[in-house]
Amino acid sequence: MEKIASFTVNHLTLMPGIYVSRKDHIGSECLTTFDLRMTAPNREPVMNTAECHTIEHLGATFLRNDPEWKDRVIYFGPMGCRTGFYLILAGDLSSADITGLVIRTFTFIRDYKGEIPGAAARDCGNYLDQNLSMANWLARRYLERDLSQIHEGSTERLVYPD
């Protein structure tokens, strides 16, 4: 079988950032899948499922309510390796196009206090597996350590390394 695109990325040199993972065309519509990489693969501990689950609930809620982007959000969820999240948006987009959206999303997650949206038995199949304080901490680290390194005109942390 042919190796899928995400398995061709060199995870030994990949740094946290915002990357275009793939672009798919369905009819006349382009869907862009983004790799929101939060940890350095194979070099840092992965996120535990509870904080991934909380980031998923908060991120999906924020993104699907964002006035500018909500109608373009297709999916937001964790990677199986637990080093980041996939965000699928309608449109032929670049990482630079969504940097502001990602910063706003993770600022929301960093600052969120209170009941986690959808964290109830009626709404979620594993509602008890949540960790808000760790989700806040991971969002803060992603913002301060990684997203702050993204500068206009630079492709570092926006384009996969060779």
Side-chain angles (χ1 to χ4, degrees), residues 45-146:
V46 299
M47 295 177 279
N48 291 314
T49 60
E51 46 263 30
C52 278
H53 194 196
T54 302
I55 291 170
E56 176 194 13
H57 277 238
L58 294 173
T61 298
F62 178 85
L63 290 162
R64 290 188 175 112
N65 283 282
D66 184 82
E68 180 184 351
W69 290 93
K70 66 182 178 181
D71 293 332
R72 298 175 84 176
V73 174
I74 306 301
Y75 174 79
F76 176 78
M79 296 175 179
C81 62
R82 294 181 287 140
T83 62
F85 290 81
Y86 285 117
L87 172 61
I88 304 174
L89 297 171
D92 186 357
L93 302 163
S94 71
S95 298
D97 293 333
I98 68 154
T99 300
L101 174 64
V102 173
I103 289 170
R104 287 194 317 275
T105 301
F106 282 88
T107 299
F108 173 79
I109 296 167
R110 178 196 67 196
D111 297 341
Y112 191 85
K113 305 293 179 225
E115 295 296 315
I116 298 164
R122 182 183 180 279
D123 303 333
C124 176
N126 193 12
Y127 76 102
L128 294 175
D129 188 27
Q130 302 281 344
N131 187 338
L132 180 58
S133 62
M134 213 39 215
N136 297 148
W137 186 88
L138 285 164
R140 180 173 24 275
R141 184 181 75 167
Y142 189 45
L143 286 161
E144 293 174 2
R145 182 190 75 170
D146 305 314

